[in-house]
Amino acid sequence: MTNSDTPRKTTRIDDLPIREELRGKSPYGAPQLDVPVRLNTNENPYPLPEALVDRIAERVREAARDLNRYPDRDAVELRTELARYLTRTAGHEVSLANVWAANGSNEVLQQLLQTFGGPGRTAIGFEPSYSMHALIARGTGTGWISGPRNEDFTIDVAAAEKAIAEHRPDVVFITSPNNPTGTAVDAGTVLALHDAAQAAGPSMVVVDEAYGEFSHHASLLPLIEGRPNMVLSRTMSKAFGAAGLRLGYLAADPAVVDAVQLVRLPYHLSSVTQATALAALEHTDTLLGYVAQLKDERDRIVTELRALGFDVTDSDANFVQFGRFADSHTAWQRILDRGVLVRDNGVPGWLRVSAGTPAENDAFLDAVRELKKEHDA
Ligand SMILES: Cc1ncc(COP(=O)(O)O)c(C=O)c1O
């Protein structure tokens, strides 16, 4: 038998000497299907305006002239502009020293867990919530604790305080508005959990405000004042309509910004990324105009779904959780059969739809209206 006759054995992940905790696990994977209406990943449906596209091209062209050099490692101009944006829109004055930026808020969260979590340490989140918190914990060797929520998806403060006192986690994640439920968390709850975490820990409290701009409520940014163990995480993926850019940022005490320097890769944020983000920040007002439209559309989806007889969780985000379905996966497939992709987050009985353009939302509402008719027939 020659070499070429030997049946080739396919190597599987588990044949490799990978870390034990990664064995048999699945990667993050929202389906990227080619269907007419995609409302499954909480993207902003509006393409960037032409004037901004031109400005990005201009800024990237300038940056390209220096691509033989590493980028500004500290992203000073970009962090200064992000601080200015937060100061103007989030109700609290911050400056360059308070702000750090990375490739998407996922990387910000990863840097936070590399700094404050890691082997022998734990993080807690209140689930259902953003699935990447647990996945990034796993990737950084941080133990994960799943904390409880009330039936209506608000955080059960007493139960959360108890879980924090019992497990003494090193990092506490609070997502407001929460994904996938859309639930906002009030400042009183955040403070109660922060105080419980300091009494048990001390530990870092990470407020993930990826959807902050879509909320009916004010940003939780002012809570970082005088609380060096509290971090606010934000992104340009949603409100700025720039998911493809990969730009997330945090605001916190300057000591936190100094601490994440210990784990960030040198030159992690490319010159092209920094130039593009700076161009987008020049167009903040136009982009926030789209946010206002999306908030109206989100409210319309909530109202119309309720009128159709669905249960709908109050939403402060650019998406809506609706149900209840005896079998949410079958309902997801039926909606997909009508050309509309929504998200089955694995929350039993519920699905999630992102607010799209008015036409996309109409297509979604038509699809669920038909689903309802079929069900009632
Ligand atoms: C709650 C929450 N946080 C963070 C992110 C990550 O966003 P990005 O890495 O695009 O900034 C998302 C994305 O869906 C999210 O839902």
PDB file of all heavy atoms in Angstrom, residues 3 13 28 39 71-72 97 114 123 142 151 176 181 196 204 216-217 236 240 261 264 305 340 352 377:
ATOM      1  N   ASN A   3       1.483   5.429   0.247  1.00  0.00           N
ATOM      2  CA  ASN A   3       0.980   6.488   1.118  1.00  0.00           C
ATOM      3  C   ASN A   3      -0.363   7.024   0.676  1.00  0.00           C
ATOM      4  O   ASN A   3      -1.257   7.274   1.459  1.00  0.00           O
ATOM      5  CB  ASN A   3       1.983   7.648   1.123  1.00  0.00           C
ATOM      6  CG  ASN A   3       2.772   7.622   2.417  1.00  0.00           C
ATOM      7  OD1 ASN A   3       2.488   6.783   3.276  1.00  0.00           O
ATOM      8  ND2 ASN A   3       3.746   8.504   2.528  1.00  0.00           N
ATOM      9  N   ILE A  13     -11.209  18.513  16.435  1.00  0.00           N
ATOM     10  CA  ILE A  13     -10.673  19.426  17.455  1.00  0.00           C
ATOM     11  C   ILE A  13     -10.229  18.646  18.687  1.00  0.00           C
ATOM     12  O   ILE A  13      -9.152  18.888  19.245  1.00  0.00           O
ATOM     13  CB  ILE A  13     -11.737  20.474  17.869  1.00  0.00           C
ATOM     14  CG1 ILE A  13     -12.046  21.410  16.714  1.00  0.00           C
ATOM     15  CG2 ILE A  13     -11.259  21.286  19.063  1.00  0.00           C
ATOM     16  CD1 ILE A  13     -13.137  22.418  17.017  1.00  0.00           C
ATOM     17  N   TYR A  28     -19.125  30.781  19.275  1.00  0.00           N
ATOM     18  CA  TYR A  28     -20.233  31.723  19.059  1.00  0.00           C
ATOM     19  C   TYR A  28     -20.652  31.603  17.604  1.00  0.00           C
ATOM     20  O   TYR A  28     -19.814  31.522  16.715  1.00  0.00           O
ATOM     21  CB  TYR A  28     -19.753  33.151  19.349  1.00  0.00           C
ATOM     22  CG  TYR A  28     -20.758  34.213  18.990  1.00  0.00           C
ATOM     23  CD1 TYR A  28     -21.710  34.621  19.920  1.00  0.00           C
ATOM     24  CD2 TYR A  28     -20.774  34.793  17.728  1.00  0.00           C
ATOM     25  CE1 TYR A  28     -22.645  35.573  19.600  1.00  0.00           C
ATOM     26  CE2 TYR A  28     -21.707  35.753  17.400  1.00  0.00           C
ATOM     27  CZ  TYR A  28     -22.639  36.141  18.337  1.00  0.00           C
ATOM     28  OH  TYR A  28     -23.570  37.094  18.021  1.00  0.00           O
ATOM     29  N   LEU A  39     -32.770  40.152  10.574  1.00  0.00           N
ATOM     30  CA  LEU A  39     -33.016  40.913  11.807  1.00  0.00           C
ATOM     31  C   LEU A  39     -32.562  40.079  13.005  1.00  0.00           C
ATOM     32  O   LEU A  39     -33.276  39.947  13.988  1.00  0.00           O
ATOM     33  CB  LEU A  39     -34.513  41.253  11.912  1.00  0.00           C
ATOM     34  CG  LEU A  39     -35.088  42.109  10.771  1.00  0.00           C
ATOM     35  CD1 LEU A  39     -36.604  42.268  10.904  1.00  0.00           C
ATOM     36  CD2 LEU A  39     -34.423  43.492  10.745  1.00  0.00           C
ATOM     37  N   PRO A  71       0.611  51.972  14.306  1.00  0.00           N
ATOM     38  CA  PRO A  71      -0.350  53.030  14.663  1.00  0.00           C
ATOM     39  C   PRO A  71      -0.027  53.653  16.020  1.00  0.00           C
ATOM     40  O   PRO A  71       0.812  53.134  16.757  1.00  0.00           O
ATOM     41  CB  PRO A  71      -1.677  52.255  14.759  1.00  0.00           C
ATOM     42  CG  PRO A  71      -1.294  50.855  15.064  1.00  0.00           C
ATOM     43  CD  PRO A  71       0.032  50.618  14.395  1.00  0.00           C
ATOM     44  N   ASP A  72      -0.746  54.730  16.356  1.00  0.00           N
ATOM     45  CA  ASP A  72      -0.626  55.320  17.696  1.00  0.00           C
ATOM     46  C   ASP A  72      -1.095  54.252  18.681  1.00  0.00           C
ATOM     47  O   ASP A  72      -2.272  53.927  18.757  1.00  0.00           O
ATOM     48  CB  ASP A  72      -1.487  56.586  17.795  1.00  0.00           C
ATOM     49  CG  ASP A  72      -1.517  57.133  19.214  1.00  0.00           C
ATOM     50  OD1 ASP A  72      -0.774  56.599  20.077  1.00  0.00           O
ATOM     51  OD2 ASP A  72      -2.281  58.075  19.467  1.00  0.00           O
ATOM     52  N   ALA A  97      -7.988  60.206  29.869  1.00  0.00           N
ATOM     53  CA  ALA A  97      -7.458  59.268  30.870  1.00  0.00           C
ATOM     54  C   ALA A  97      -8.496  58.251  31.332  1.00  0.00           C
ATOM     55  O   ALA A  97      -8.149  57.190  31.850  1.00  0.00           O
ATOM     56  CB  ALA A  97      -6.934  60.041  32.070  1.00  0.00           C
ATOM     57  N   GLN A 114      -8.987  39.438  31.080  1.00  0.00           N
ATOM     58  CA  GLN A 114      -7.558  39.077  31.174  1.00  0.00           C
ATOM     59  C   GLN A 114      -6.909  39.797  32.360  1.00  0.00           C
ATOM     60  O   GLN A 114      -5.991  39.283  32.983  1.00  0.00           O
ATOM     61  CB  GLN A 114      -6.820  39.477  29.890  1.00  0.00           C
ATOM     62  CG  GLN A 114      -7.115  38.572  28.709  1.00  0.00           C
ATOM     63  CD  GLN A 114      -6.458  39.100  27.441  1.00  0.00           C
ATOM     64  OE1 GLN A 114      -6.467  40.300  27.179  1.00  0.00           O
ATOM     65  NE2 GLN A 114      -5.900  38.207  26.652  1.00  0.00           N
ATOM     66  N   ALA A 123     -16.243  35.018  37.290  1.00  0.00           N
ATOM     67  CA  ALA A 123     -17.103  36.145  36.903  1.00  0.00           C
ATOM     68  C   ALA A 123     -18.549  35.674  36.979  1.00  0.00           C
ATOM     69  O   ALA A 123     -18.835  34.495  36.743  1.00  0.00           O
ATOM     70  CB  ALA A 123     -16.762  36.594  35.485  1.00  0.00           C
ATOM     71  N   THR A 142     -11.426  32.063  32.994  1.00  0.00           N
ATOM     72  CA  THR A 142     -12.151  32.579  34.163  1.00  0.00           C
ATOM     73  C   THR A 142     -13.356  31.675  34.430  1.00  0.00           C
ATOM     74  O   THR A 142     -14.109  31.371  33.500  1.00  0.00           O
ATOM     75  CB  THR A 142     -12.663  34.011  33.862  1.00  0.00           C
ATOM     76  OG1 THR A 142     -11.594  34.790  33.318  1.00  0.00           O
ATOM     77  CG2 THR A 142     -13.224  34.681  35.114  1.00  0.00           C
ATOM     78  N   GLU A 151     -38.824  36.367  36.727  1.00  0.00           N
ATOM     79  CA  GLU A 151     -39.673  35.901  35.616  1.00  0.00           C
ATOM     80  C   GLU A 151     -39.780  36.937  34.500  1.00  0.00           C
ATOM     81  O   GLU A 151     -39.827  36.599  33.326  1.00  0.00           O
ATOM     82  CB  GLU A 151     -41.102  35.665  36.148  1.00  0.00           C
ATOM     83  CG  GLU A 151     -41.330  34.299  36.722  1.00  0.00           C
ATOM     84  CD  GLU A 151     -41.605  33.278  35.629  1.00  0.00           C
ATOM     85  OE1 GLU A 151     -42.670  33.408  34.986  1.00  0.00           O
ATOM     86  OE2 GLU A 151     -40.757  32.383  35.437  1.00  0.00           O
ATOM     87  N   SER A 176     -26.953  46.474  30.526  1.00  0.00           N
ATOM     88  CA  SER A 176     -28.106  47.370  30.494  1.00  0.00           C
ATOM     89  C   SER A 176     -28.022  48.314  29.301  1.00  0.00           C
ATOM     90  O   SER A 176     -27.064  49.081  29.195  1.00  0.00           O
ATOM     91  CB  SER A 176     -28.180  48.204  31.772  1.00  0.00           C
ATOM     92  OG  SER A 176     -29.334  49.006  31.740  1.00  0.00           O
ATOM     93  N   THR A 181     -32.945  40.293  26.210  1.00  0.00           N
ATOM     94  CA  THR A 181     -34.291  40.623  26.678  1.00  0.00           C
ATOM     95  C   THR A 181     -34.685  42.071  26.422  1.00  0.00           C
ATOM     96  O   THR A 181     -35.866  42.398  26.378  1.00  0.00           O
ATOM     97  CB  THR A 181     -34.404  40.322  28.197  1.00  0.00           C
ATOM     98  OG1 THR A 181     -33.484  41.164  28.899  1.00  0.00           O
ATOM     99  CG2 THR A 181     -34.080  38.871  28.505  1.00  0.00           C
ATOM    100  N   ALA A 196     -22.563  45.152  47.073  1.00  0.00           N
ATOM    101  CA  ALA A 196     -22.467  43.740  47.482  1.00  0.00           C
ATOM    102  C   ALA A 196     -21.130  43.167  47.015  1.00  0.00           C
ATOM    103  O   ALA A 196     -20.463  42.420  47.750  1.00  0.00           O
ATOM    104  CB  ALA A 196     -23.628  42.941  46.881  1.00  0.00           C
ATOM    105  N   MET A 204     -14.490  43.780  40.358  1.00  0.00           N
ATOM    106  CA  MET A 204     -14.819  44.760  39.324  1.00  0.00           C
ATOM    107  C   MET A 204     -16.264  44.573  38.877  1.00  0.00           C
ATOM    108  O   MET A 204     -16.705  43.437  38.676  1.00  0.00           O
ATOM    109  CB  MET A 204     -13.915  44.582  38.098  1.00  0.00           C
ATOM    110  CG  MET A 204     -12.456  44.857  38.346  1.00  0.00           C
ATOM    111  SD  MET A 204     -12.090  46.493  39.021  1.00  0.00           S
ATOM    112  CE  MET A 204     -12.481  47.554  37.642  1.00  0.00           C
ATOM    113  N   HIS A 216     -34.609  54.264  26.937  1.00  0.00           N
ATOM    114  CA  HIS A 216     -35.479  55.349  27.397  1.00  0.00           C
ATOM    115  C   HIS A 216     -34.836  56.046  28.594  1.00  0.00           C
ATOM    116  O   HIS A 216     -35.255  57.113  28.988  1.00  0.00           O
ATOM    117  CB  HIS A 216     -36.838  54.794  27.872  1.00  0.00           C
ATOM    118  CG  HIS A 216     -37.640  54.116  26.786  1.00  0.00           C
ATOM    119  ND1 HIS A 216     -37.747  52.757  26.679  1.00  0.00           N
ATOM    120  CD2 HIS A 216     -38.390  54.631  25.783  1.00  0.00           C
ATOM    121  CE1 HIS A 216     -38.530  52.448  25.648  1.00  0.00           C
ATOM    122  NE2 HIS A 216     -38.935  53.566  25.092  1.00  0.00           N
ATOM    123  N   HIS A 217     -33.843  55.398  29.209  1.00  0.00           N
ATOM    124  CA  HIS A 217     -33.254  55.901  30.447  1.00  0.00           C
ATOM    125  C   HIS A 217     -31.880  56.505  30.192  1.00  0.00           C
ATOM    126  O   HIS A 217     -31.236  56.199  29.194  1.00  0.00           O
ATOM    127  CB  HIS A 217     -33.110  54.756  31.461  1.00  0.00           C
ATOM    128  CG  HIS A 217     -34.403  54.067  31.738  1.00  0.00           C
ATOM    129  ND1 HIS A 217     -35.318  54.528  32.630  1.00  0.00           N
ATOM    130  CD2 HIS A 217     -34.940  52.953  31.188  1.00  0.00           C
ATOM    131  CE1 HIS A 217     -36.376  53.736  32.637  1.00  0.00           C
ATOM    132  NE2 HIS A 217     -36.164  52.770  31.773  1.00  0.00           N
ATOM    133  N   MET A 236     -19.294  51.099  19.085  1.00  0.00           N
ATOM    134  CA  MET A 236     -19.776  51.849  17.915  1.00  0.00           C
ATOM    135  C   MET A 236     -20.525  50.913  16.967  1.00  0.00           C
ATOM    136  O   MET A 236     -20.976  51.321  15.910  1.00  0.00           O
ATOM    137  CB  MET A 236     -18.607  52.527  17.192  1.00  0.00           C
ATOM    138  CG  MET A 236     -17.968  53.634  18.037  1.00  0.00           C
ATOM    139  SD  MET A 236     -16.617  54.505  17.210  1.00  0.00           S
ATOM    140  CE  MET A 236     -17.533  55.579  16.082  1.00  0.00           C
ATOM    141  N   PHE A 240     -23.730  53.688  16.227  1.00  0.00           N
ATOM    142  CA  PHE A 240     -23.004  54.339  15.130  1.00  0.00           C
ATOM    143  C   PHE A 240     -23.145  53.575  13.812  1.00  0.00           C
ATOM    144  O   PHE A 240     -22.577  53.979  12.800  1.00  0.00           O
ATOM    145  CB  PHE A 240     -21.518  54.511  15.488  1.00  0.00           C
ATOM    146  CG  PHE A 240     -21.259  55.678  16.383  1.00  0.00           C
ATOM    147  CD1 PHE A 240     -21.461  55.575  17.753  1.00  0.00           C
ATOM    148  CD2 PHE A 240     -20.858  56.915  15.869  1.00  0.00           C
ATOM    149  CE1 PHE A 240     -21.252  56.661  18.597  1.00  0.00           C
ATOM    150  CE2 PHE A 240     -20.649  58.007  16.694  1.00  0.00           C
ATOM    151  CZ  PHE A 240     -20.846  57.883  18.063  1.00  0.00           C
ATOM    152  N   GLN A 261      -3.590  48.142  30.143  1.00  0.00           N
ATOM    153  CA  GLN A 261      -2.357  48.224  29.341  1.00  0.00           C
ATOM    154  C   GLN A 261      -1.474  46.997  29.560  1.00  0.00           C
ATOM    155  O   GLN A 261      -0.648  46.647  28.730  1.00  0.00           O
ATOM    156  CB  GLN A 261      -1.517  49.463  29.712  1.00  0.00           C
ATOM    157  CG  GLN A 261      -2.261  50.779  29.666  1.00  0.00           C
ATOM    158  CD  GLN A 261      -2.888  51.019  28.339  1.00  0.00           C
ATOM    159  OE1 GLN A 261      -2.217  50.934  27.313  1.00  0.00           O
ATOM    160  NE2 GLN A 261      -4.183  51.274  28.327  1.00  0.00           N
ATOM    161  N   ARG A 264      -3.141  44.353  26.974  1.00  0.00           N
ATOM    162  CA  ARG A 264      -3.441  44.664  25.572  1.00  0.00           C
ATOM    163  C   ARG A 264      -2.228  44.363  24.684  1.00  0.00           C
ATOM    164  O   ARG A 264      -1.088  44.506  25.126  1.00  0.00           O
ATOM    165  CB  ARG A 264      -3.873  46.122  25.427  1.00  0.00           C
ATOM    166  CG  ARG A 264      -2.816  47.135  25.830  1.00  0.00           C
ATOM    167  CD  ARG A 264      -2.288  47.892  24.639  1.00  0.00           C
ATOM    168  NE  ARG A 264      -1.372  48.948  25.032  1.00  0.00           N
ATOM    169  CZ  ARG A 264      -0.073  48.746  25.233  1.00  0.00           C
ATOM    170  NH1 ARG A 264       0.451  47.537  25.097  1.00  0.00           N
ATOM    171  NH2 ARG A 264       0.718  49.748  25.564  1.00  0.00           N
ATOM    172  N   LEU A 305     -46.756  43.917  18.105  1.00  0.00           N
ATOM    173  CA  LEU A 305     -46.693  42.517  18.565  1.00  0.00           C
ATOM    174  C   LEU A 305     -47.686  42.291  19.703  1.00  0.00           C
ATOM    175  O   LEU A 305     -48.367  41.267  19.756  1.00  0.00           O
ATOM    176  CB  LEU A 305     -45.285  42.162  19.033  1.00  0.00           C
ATOM    177  CG  LEU A 305     -44.239  41.891  17.944  1.00  0.00           C
ATOM    178  CD1 LEU A 305     -42.850  41.700  18.566  1.00  0.00           C
ATOM    179  CD2 LEU A 305     -44.598  40.652  17.111  1.00  0.00           C
ATOM    180  N   VAL A 340     -37.647  35.960   6.659  1.00  0.00           N
ATOM    181  CA  VAL A 340     -37.207  36.876   7.723  1.00  0.00           C
ATOM    182  C   VAL A 340     -36.401  36.093   8.757  1.00  0.00           C
ATOM    183  O   VAL A 340     -36.898  35.130   9.345  1.00  0.00           O
ATOM    184  CB  VAL A 340     -38.427  37.554   8.404  1.00  0.00           C
ATOM    185  CG1 VAL A 340     -37.948  38.540   9.477  1.00  0.00           C
ATOM    186  CG2 VAL A 340     -39.304  38.271   7.369  1.00  0.00           C
ATOM    187  N   ARG A 352     -36.059  36.706  19.440  1.00  0.00           N
ATOM    188  CA  ARG A 352     -35.648  38.117  19.477  1.00  0.00           C
ATOM    189  C   ARG A 352     -35.580  38.663  18.052  1.00  0.00           C
ATOM    190  O   ARG A 352     -35.060  37.985  17.157  1.00  0.00           O
ATOM    191  CB  ARG A 352     -34.267  38.218  20.125  1.00  0.00           C
ATOM    192  CG  ARG A 352     -33.803  39.639  20.395  1.00  0.00           C
ATOM    193  CD  ARG A 352     -32.320  39.667  20.702  1.00  0.00           C
ATOM    194  NE  ARG A 352     -31.532  39.403  19.508  1.00  0.00           N
ATOM    195  CZ  ARG A 352     -30.231  39.137  19.492  1.00  0.00           C
ATOM    196  NH1 ARG A 352     -29.549  39.081  20.610  1.00  0.00           N
ATOM    197  NH2 ARG A 352     -29.596  38.909  18.347  1.00  0.00           N
ATOM    198  N   ALA A 377     -55.833  29.123  13.471  1.00  0.00           N
ATOM    199  CA  ALA A 377     -56.809  28.484  12.556  1.00  0.00           C
ATOM    200  C   ALA A 377     -57.205  27.090  13.051  1.00  0.00           C
ATOM    201  O   ALA A 377     -56.450  26.421  13.716  1.00  0.00           O
ATOM    202  CB  ALA A 377     -56.221  28.396  11.165  1.00  0.00           C
TER     203      ALA A 377
END
